[in-house]
Amino acid sequence: MTKVPYEVYTEDVEALSVLSPDGEVINKDKMPALTDDQLKELMYRMVFTRTWDDRAVNLGRQGRLGFYAPVSGQEATMIGSEFALQKEDFVCPGYRDIPQLVWHGLPLYQAFLYSRGHQHGGQIPEGVNVLMPQIIIGAQILHATGIAMGFKLKKQQNVAITYTGDGGSSEGDFYEGLNFAGRFKLPVIFFVQNNGYAITTPFAKQTAAKSIAHKAVAAGIPGIKIDGMDVFAVISAVQEAAERARKGEGATLIEAVTYRFRPHSLSDDASKYRSKEEEGQWNEKDPIARLAKYLEKKGLWTEEDTLRVREEAKATVNEQIKKAEQTEKMTVPGLIDSMFEVTPKHLEEQKADFE
Amino acid sequence: MAQMNMKEAIRDAMRVELNRDPGVLIFGEDVGNVGGVFRVTEGLQKEFGEDRVFDTPLAESAIGGLAFGLGVQGFRPIAEIQFVGFIFEALDQIVVQAARLRWRSGGRFNAPVVFRTPFGGGVKAAELHTDSLEGLIAQSPGIKVVIPSNPYDAKGLLIASIRDNDPVFFMEHLNLYHAFRAEVPEGEYTVELGKANVVREGSDVSIITYGLMVHTATKAAEQLEKDGIKAEIIDLRTVSPIDIDTIVASVKKTNRAIVVQEAQKSSGVAAEVIAQINEKAILHLEAPVLRVAGPDTIYPFAQIEDTWIPTPARVIAAVKKVMEF
C-alpha cells in the first residue's frame, strides 16, 4: 500500500516568481507573452490605480466617499489578474476589489457612488460582466461557481474569477465553493489575495496550514502559490488557470502573497498590529517599482511617464467624483420600486408615505 | 383532468416548466437519481438529463450560491433544500444575496430562483426537519413566501413561482404530500402569487390560515356549523406578500376573525395578519383577533408534536371565544 505522504502537505510551498525585485526576468518559462503596448498599458493601469487610491483616501477623509478599503500594494494582484481575462469573463469581487471592476468596465464614478452608498453604483452597465463588491466574506465565492456553471451549461468558453483574502479562506463558503467547483469541473478561478491580515488578525493566527494553496488539495483542484507583488507571476498564473478552465479542465485556486500598504479601511489603525519595520520590508517589494525597473531597462517607461499618468489620474478622479456628487440622490419611493419586478400592493401603499 | 396528490402536482409543475423553458434547472441533495428523499423529483432526471436535474454535494450554502450565480446567468434554478431546518446554513444566500440582488444592482441583475423546501409537523420526523420557518423568511424584504394547501394550488403556484423574475421561497408541508388526491389540470396554468383564496364561505367569523392548517380549520368549521356558527376560511397561499384585501373583505362581512398557524405564536405571519387587520378594518371588529398557534417553544421532539400542533378543538375554542366576546 502506498504511504500517504502527509508531510508534503504540511510543508510550505515556494511561491511562483517571474520578475526579481530589481526588475530582471528570473523565470523565462512563466513570462507572459505581452507586447510593448500591453506592457505600457499594464504599467499605466497600475500607476493610475495607485494615484486614484491616494486620492480616494483623501476624499474619504474629507467625507466625500463612504466606506473605502485602500488598495495600494495590491496593484499587481488586482490589475494583473484582470489583465489576464477576456471581456466576457465574469468578475465576482470582495469589498476591496474595486480596481478589477473598473478595469473590467465599471465607470469610475459608479465605483465612487457605490462607496457613497448610492444604489446607482451597483447598476453595472449592460455588457460589463461584474457583480457588485461583496460585503459578506465568502458569498461571492459561491456566486462565481454558479456563474461558472452557467458558462459551462451555455457551452461558452469563459471563466468566472472570484476574489477573497486570507481571512476569507477560513469561511465555510470558501470550502463549499472549492468543493462544488471541483465536483462539477467548473471554469472558475479562486484568487486569494493573502495580504497577511484579516483586518488585524495575522495569517499565523488564521490557519495552521502553511499556505492557502494547500487547501485546493481537499477539493481535488490545482492550487498554486505566487508572489503577489510580481505582476508577471500574477498574469502567468491567471492566464494558465483561465486556459485550463476554457479547455474544460476546471477550477484553480491561486494564492497570491501580497501586502496592503495602508490600513484595512479608513477607520483602522494599522500601527496597532503591524510594525514599521515590517511595512518597510514590504515597501521594498512594491509591485509598481518592480515593473518600472523592468520597463525602464527595456526603454518603455520613464519617470516622466509616471508623472504624466499621475496627473491624468488626478484629473480623472476629480472629474468622476464630481459626477458622482452631482448624481441625483436616491429616494425612498425609488428604493421601494427596485425591490421587485412588479411592486406589490403593500409596498405601493408604503411608498405613498414618502411621496 | 388527472387526480394527483400534492407531491405529484408539484412534480408535474416542474415537468411542465422543464419542458417549456430550457433555462429551468433542478438541483439539490439527492434530487437526481432517486428523486429526493420524498421522491418529489422522481423520474425528472431520467426525462430531462443530468444537465437539467442533478445532485449536488451536501452543502446548503453552496446550493443557494449556485442558484444565485445561475440566476445571474439567465437560468431559472429550482434549488431544493432537503429539510426546512437546514435553511439556516443557506440563509445568507436566500435572504441576503438572492433577496437583495435586484435592489443592490438597481435592477441590472435579478435572481429568478425558487428555493423549495419541505416543512411542517405531524409526521414524526427528526429534529429540525419540520419547523415552520415561514415567518423568518417573510420578514426579509425582496423574497416571496408561498405555501400551498392542496394539489391544484401547489401546481399553479409553483409554475407562477418559477416564472417569477424575483426569488420565491416555496414551502411544501410534509403532511400534505400524500394526504389526498384532487383534480389537477394537465399542462400549464398559474395561480397568482399574493392572492388568497376563500376556501369556505361563512358569515360569522373569518378563519385566516394557510398550509396544513387550512384542513384543520375546515374540520373545525364543519363542527362549528353543527353548532350554528358559519365560519369563512381564507387560505393565504402566499404569506409574503399577504393579500390583505381578501382578508378585509371577509372581516367586513363577519366582523370577527382568528388566525391559525402551525408556527410558534409570536412575531410571525399571524401577528402580521392581525396588524394589517388593525390598520385596515379595526372598526369592523366586534372582538379582538385571536391567534391559534404553536407555543413559543422549540419545536418539540416527535412524542408530543400532535399535542403541540394546533388541533380543530383549539380552533373551535378560539372561535367560540371571539363569538362570545
Side-chain angles (χ1 to χ4, degrees):
Chain A
M1 190 187 278
T2 313
K3 193 180 161 197
V4 177
Y6 61 86
E7 61 276 11
V8 172
Y9 302 121
T10 57
E11 285 172 3
D12 200 0
V13 288
E14 198 179 337
L16 169 74
S17 199
V18 175
L19 193 64
S20 74
D22 55 3
E24 295 293 333
V25 173
I26 51 172
N27 191 341
K28 287 203 172 71
D29 291 347
K30 295 289 180 185
M31 178 64 193
L34 299 170
T35 64
D36 286 354
D37 281 347
Q38 284 176 315
L39 287 166
K40 285 194 275 188
E41 174 65 16
L42 188 59
M43 185 63 182
Y44 170 86
R45 291 185 184 191
M46 288 171 69
V47 173
F48 188 103
T49 305
R50 175 73 57 90
T51 310
W52 147 28
D53 190 59
D54 292 343
R55 291 286 299 127
V57 169
N58 286 334
L59 290 169
R61 290 190 178 129
Q62 292 163 21
R64 294 170 75 188
L65 283 181
F67 176 78
Y68 181 75
V71 302
S72 292
Q74 297 188 207
E75 291 90 347
T77 54
M78 292 173 163
I79 290 154
S81 59
E82 195 285 326
F83 203 81
L85 301 175
Q86 296 174 0
K87 185 172 166 41
E88 295 75 20
D89 295 336
F90 223 111
V91 178
C92 302
Y95 54 85
R96 198 184 303 280
D97 303 306
I98 310 291
Q100 296 95 308
L101 304 188
V102 168
W103 294 116
H104 211 60
L106 178 73
L108 186 56
Y109 85 96
Q110 284 191 260
F112 291 151
L113 279 173
Y114 176 79
S115 171
R116 289 163 61 88
H118 194 301
Q119 186 182 31
H120 181 54
Q123 225 158 10
I124 314 290
E126 287 290 336
V128 177
N129 281 349
V130 304
L131 290 180
M132 296 75 70
Q134 184 52 244
I135 298 301
I136 300 281
I137 310 298
Q140 74 277 16
I141 295 166
L142 300 175
H143 301 162
T145 62
I147 285 167
M149 185 177 275
F151 281 139
K152 188 173 176 175
L153 289 172
K154 290 195 264 189
K155 301 194 187 331
Q156 207 173 316
Q157 291 196 327
N158 285 105
V159 305
I161 188 166
T162 182
Y163 297 89
T164 193
D166 37 314
S169 75
S170 296
E171 286 277 357
D173 282 353
F174 176 80
Y175 294 94
E176 292 191 18
L178 260 61
N179 190 51
F180 266 53
R183 154 65 185 90
F184 292 111
K185 235 179 183 183
L186 299 178
V188 57
I189 301 169
F190 302 100
F191 195 99
V192 178
Q193 295 169 91
N194 176 359
N195 65 19
Y197 294 89
I199 305 188
T200 69
T201 303
F203 185 65
K205 291 185 180 173
Q206 193 66 238
T207 175
K210 291 289 194 307
S211 91
I212 292 164
H214 280 88
K215 300 189 180 198
V217 175
I221 64 172
I224 177 173
K225 181 172 167 178
I226 62 173
D227 179 350
M229 307 300 262
D230 171 355
V231 73
F232 293 150
V234 173
I235 293 174
S236 169
V238 175
Q239 276 181 343
E240 203 169 300
E243 204 175 308
R244 288 187 60 250
R246 292 186 215 287
K247 283 196 292 191
E249 291 172 14
T252 305
L253 169 64
I254 299 171
E255 175 192 7
V257 182
T258 181
Y259 200 74
R260 57 171 154 83
F261 291 153
R262 289 202 166 94
H264 160 70
S265 72
L266 301 186
S267 51
D268 163 43
D269 177 4
S271 70
K272 291 197 169 147
Y273 55 90
R274 312 198 297 207
S275 67
K276 284 275 164 225
E277 189 191 2
E278 177 188 296
E279 289 177 9
Q281 283 167 0
W282 279 96
N283 271 322
E284 286 168 20
K285 296 177 184 170
D286 188 330
I288 295 181
R290 198 188 291 197
L291 182 62
K293 283 178 197 161
Y294 172 77
L295 293 180
E296 280 164 11
K297 281 180 201 170
K298 282 180 76 89
L300 294 174
W301 199 263
T302 63
E303 184 59 30
E304 287 70 43
D305 289 322
T306 299
L307 294 174
R308 174 182 54 79
V309 178
R310 278 188 189 156
E311 289 310 311
E312 190 184 322
K314 276 185 206 164
T316 305
V317 167
N318 284 345
E319 172 211 335
Q320 295 286 299
I321 188 74
K322 272 185 201 144
K323 191 170 175 185
E325 286 168 340
Q326 284 160 5
T327 301
E328 204 175 331
K329 273 192 177 167
M330 287 169 66
T331 63
V332 175
L335 160 66
I336 288 173
D337 276 338
S338 61
M339 291 304 301
F340 293 99
E341 183 178 43
V342 180
T343 303
K345 188 166 169 288
H346 74 287
L347 276 175
E348 285 290 356
E349 288 176 11
Q350 289 174 25
K351 203 164 77 180
D353 293 342
F354 296 90
E355 282 172 336
Chain B
M1 217 183 282
Q3 288 276 324
M4 292 185 196
N5 63 28
M6 201 172 89
K7 183 176 84 174
E8 290 160 350
I10 290 168
R11 183 192 301 143
D12 198 41
M14 289 191 274
R15 181 182 287 115
V16 165
E17 290 304 279
L18 281 161
N19 266 316
R20 189 187 65 85
D21 182 347
V24 173
L25 306 171
I26 296 172
F27 51 84
E29 290 151 13
D30 309 310
V31 301
N33 185 32
V34 300
V37 287
F38 297 105
R39 310 288 181 263
V40 180
T41 53
E42 193 168 43
L44 296 179
Q45 186 179 67
K46 206 169 176 190
E47 201 175 336
F48 295 96
E50 288 189 32
D51 275 357
R52 307 281 309 279
V53 181
F54 55 91
D55 292 330
T56 65
L58 198 162
E60 287 79 12
S61 186
I63 291 168
L66 199 67
F68 177 104
L70 284 162
V72 167
Q73 283 279 34
F75 290 87
R76 290 191 177 276
I78 305 170
E80 181 176 306
I81 303 295
Q82 198 161 61
F83 288 101
V84 72
F86 308 167
I87 67 161
F88 292 101
E89 302 286 333
L91 220 46
D92 174 50
Q93 293 295 340
I94 297 169
V95 304
V96 179
Q97 304 298 331
R100 65 171 55 202
L101 180 61
R102 180 183 293 280
W103 166 74
R104 267 197 105 208
S105 67
R108 166 68 169 83
F109 297 114
N110 59 304
V113 182
V114 179
F115 297 101
R116 284 184 46 241
T117 187
F119 82 110
V123 293
K124 310 281 188 284
E127 197 181 4
L128 284 166
H129 284 48
T130 46
D131 298 41
S132 297
L133 302 176
E134 64 274 15
L136 192 72
I137 308 293
Q139 209 197 6
S140 308
I143 186 165
K144 295 168 188 168
V145 184
V146 177
I147 305 180
S149 69
N150 63 72
Y152 176 89
D153 282 0
K155 179 173 170 183
L157 287 167
L158 183 53
I159 292 178
S161 300
I162 296 166
R163 294 181 186 181
D164 200 287
N165 284 329
D166 289 302
V168 176
F169 194 74
F170 195 91
M171 301 176 71
E172 302 161 8
H173 201 292
L174 282 168
N175 228 343
L176 288 176
Y177 274 149
H178 305 108
F180 61 95
R181 288 179 179 277
E183 292 207 331
V184 174
E186 281 165 31
E188 306 180 25
Y189 69 91
T190 56
V191 172
E192 185 185 345
L193 304 185
K195 185 88 189 109
N197 186 26
V198 180
V199 294
R200 182 189 177 98
E201 299 216 10
S203 51
D204 298 327
V205 60
S206 304
I207 304 179
I208 300 139
T209 187
Y210 53 94
L212 180 72
M213 289 297 114
V214 172
H215 304 283
T216 303
T218 301
K219 279 181 201 149
E222 283 163 2
Q223 185 60 46
L224 286 163
E225 191 153 16
K226 289 177 192 160
D227 298 338
I229 299 169
K230 292 192 175 99
E232 176 149 302
I233 299 177
I234 295 173
D235 177 358
L236 288 176
R237 296 198 289 207
T238 303
V239 301
S240 180
I242 286 168
D243 178 7
I244 190 62
D245 290 352
T246 299
I247 296 169
V248 165
S250 178
V251 168
K252 281 183 178 171
K253 183 168 67 170
T254 63
N255 308 116
R256 289 177 172 81
I258 66 163
V259 189
V260 184
Q261 67 177 20
E262 190 174 319
Q264 286 85 344
K265 191 171 185 178
S266 299
S267 309
V269 171
E272 177 57 29
V273 168
I274 295 169
Q276 291 200 33
I277 291 173
N278 282 342
E279 286 175 2
K280 306 219 164 170
I282 196 161
L283 294 178
H284 294 275
L285 290 174
E286 296 288 345
V289 183
L290 298 184
R291 282 175 287 183
V292 179
D296 289 329
T297 66
I298 301 294
Y299 188 92
F301 291 127
Q303 204 170 66
I304 55 162
E305 66 179 3
D306 289 341
T307 320
W308 191 92
I309 296 168
T311 57
R314 285 180 58 204
V315 176
I316 290 167
V319 166
K320 291 201 167 161
K321 208 167 169 184
V322 296
M323 294 305 295
E324 289 158 13
F325 181 80

